[in-house]
């Protein structure tokens, strides 16, 4: 179990999945991350790439504990969700048990925060009880970007409609959903930062306490290989051009800074500092 301290704030990682993923090819997580290209980036091994050039990625939630508030950032894929023909179909993992093991009973969560409304960020918003999807965290307010919600309500395909039906609509039905602007101050020391492109309402999460700072990226980047090649787009981006600009600006802003960067799909060790490396960057864990 990984934990980090940022001033008075503790961040704990709960992993749902971690392992090699196929990279390279249109529609893949990082479209240019073919094995031969990945093998050229030697600092990716052993944490973020295999010896034969497969990229290693993760799906995890980050639990933020401030002195006053417990926040779950992104709720992974969830159990028993029907996602036909995908890796995400009908997962059964001990995710909730792992949360309880670190003292986070679902009842104790104050806020659930979705950086965006994709399948691997909203799943544990709900769990199945009998035939119904009910909020997993019954005492939480669930924060979702207003822009993000409106986009997927209007433009989602059938697969996204299914995600909204089983992982978002029940939150509204229970009266727990709160639509927020993209620069929303969540609580003392935790605020949203607009990072659109991956999705129209995508946000990252900035954490500041006692002069220390961290940022949870969300999916503005999927894999550390994009530090070596900021121009490497994700096949999951709604607007690749905007996502490329957002990612480039983010890397530029934080390169050489003491801010701890926590990648929402970055495999163990998950967090590090962005440093300059020639014309691009690398991640120093
Ligand atoms: Zn994702």
């Amino acid at each position: 179990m990984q934990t980090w301290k940022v001033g008075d704030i503790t961040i704990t990682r709960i992993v749902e999945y971690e392992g090699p993923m196929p990279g390279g090819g249109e529609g893949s997580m990082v479209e240019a991350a073919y094995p031969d290209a990945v093998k050229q980036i030697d600092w990716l091994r052993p944490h973020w790439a295999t010896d034969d050039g497969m990229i290693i990625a993760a799906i995890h939630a980050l639990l933020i504990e401030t002195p006053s508030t417990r926040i779950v950032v992104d709720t992974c894929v969830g159990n028993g969700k029907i996602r036909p023909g995908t890796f995400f179909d009908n997962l059964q993992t001990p995710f909730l048990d792992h949360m309880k093991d670190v003292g986070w009973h679902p009842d104790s969560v104050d806020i659930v925060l979705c950086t965006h409304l994709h399948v691997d960020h909203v799943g544990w918003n709900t769990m199945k009880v009998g035939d119904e999807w009910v909020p997993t965290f019954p005492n939480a307010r669930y924060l979702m970007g207003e822009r993000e919600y409106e986009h997927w309500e209007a433009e989602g395909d059938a697969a996204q409609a299914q995600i909204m039906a089983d992982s978002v609509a029940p939150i509204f039905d229970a009266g727990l959903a709160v639509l927020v602007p993209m620069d929303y101050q969540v609580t003392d020391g935790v605020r949203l930062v607009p990072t659109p492109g991956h999705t129209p309402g995508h946000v990252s999460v900035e954490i500041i306490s006692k002069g220390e700072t961290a940022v949870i990226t969300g999916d503005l980047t999927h894999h550390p290989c994009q530090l070596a090649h900021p121009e490497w787009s994700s096949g999951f981006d709604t607007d690749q051009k905007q996502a490329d600009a957002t990612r480039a600006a983010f890397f530029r802003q934080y390169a050489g800074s003491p801010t701890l960067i926590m990648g929402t799909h970055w495999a163990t060790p998950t967090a590090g500092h962005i440093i300059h490396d020639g014309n691009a960057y690398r991640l120093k864990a």
Side-chain angles (χ1 to χ4, degrees):
M1 197 65 59
Q2 285 183 279
T3 65
W4 299 266
K5 272 289 213 188
V6 179
D8 279 342
I9 295 175
T10 306
I11 302 157
T12 303
R13 177 187 185 225
I14 303 292
V15 178
E16 184 180 62
Y17 171 82
E18 179 159 41
M21 304 250 299
E26 203 173 321
S28 72
M29 193 172 72
V30 181
E31 293 185 325
Y34 290 99
D36 282 347
V38 170
K39 278 195 262 186
Q40 312 268 322
I41 311 166
D42 58 350
W43 59 265
L44 290 178
R45 296 186 296 276
H47 300 305
W48 302 300
T50 65
D51 286 341
D52 49 8
M54 290 270 276
I55 54 176
I56 302 170
I59 301 171
H60 51 244
L62 293 167
L63 313 181
I64 302 176
E65 178 138 40
T66 79
S68 65
T69 308
R70 285 188 149 187
I71 305 165
V72 179
V73 178
D74 285 337
T75 60
C76 304
V77 176
N79 277 5
K81 297 281 160 94
I82 303 308
R83 311 291 184 225
T86 73
F87 168 82
F88 308 120
D89 190 39
N90 196 23
L91 291 193
Q92 298 294 336
T93 78
F95 177 89
L96 269 198
D97 294 330
H98 290 163
M99 274 187 73
K100 290 174 190 164
D101 288 346
V102 295
W104 280 59
H105 192 277
D107 291 351
S108 74
V109 173
D110 300 302
I111 291 175
V112 175
L113 178 50
C114 301
T115 60
H116 61 297
L117 298 181
H118 273 168
V119 58
D120 52 327
H121 298 262
V122 299
W124 275 109
N125 281 3
T126 58
M127 61 182 186
K128 202 160 203 182
V129 175
D131 283 336
E132 262 188 283
W133 292 105
V134 302
T136 306
F137 308 102
N139 298 319
R141 289 182 299 133
Y142 284 67
L143 309 187
M144 306 174 204
E146 185 168 24
R147 169 92 183 82
E148 180 73 4
Y149 177 76
E150 284 173 356
H151 172 79
W152 292 118
E153 278 291 288
E155 314 240 342
D157 59 10
Q160 184 67 30
Q162 176 66 29
I163 293 161
M164 301 298 277
D166 60 37
S167 300
V168 175
I171 305 305
F172 280 85
D173 294 344
L176 302 181
V178 183
L179 295 177
V180 296
M182 290 169 74
D183 59 354
Y184 185 69
Q185 183 80 40
V186 178
T187 187
D188 253 8
V190 181
R191 73 179 181 106
L192 306 184
V193 180
T195 44
H198 176 62
T199 60
H202 184 276
V203 295
S204 302
V205 183
E206 184 184 75
I207 298 147
I208 304 181
S209 177
K210 301 212 153 160
E212 297 182 351
T213 57
V215 178
I216 297 171
T217 60
D219 285 6
L220 79 85
T221 166
H222 286 80
H223 190 274
C225 69
Q226 291 170 300
L227 287 159
H229 290 281
E231 76 284 6
W232 282 6
S233 299
S234 172
F236 308 155
D237 292 340
T238 305
D239 180 341
Q240 284 189 339
K241 212 169 151 211
Q242 189 181 33
D244 289 356
T246 292
R247 191 169 54 251
F250 183 89
F251 291 166
R252 206 179 312 121
Q253 178 180 355
Y254 289 107
S257 102
T259 298
L260 184 68
I261 308 298
M262 318 187 79
T264 293
H265 289 303
W266 290 356
T268 311
T270 309
H273 295 96
I274 297 175
I275 58 174
H276 292 278
D277 186 13
N279 292 326
Y281 313 97
R282 71 164 73 192
L283 183 62
K284 190 167 183 293

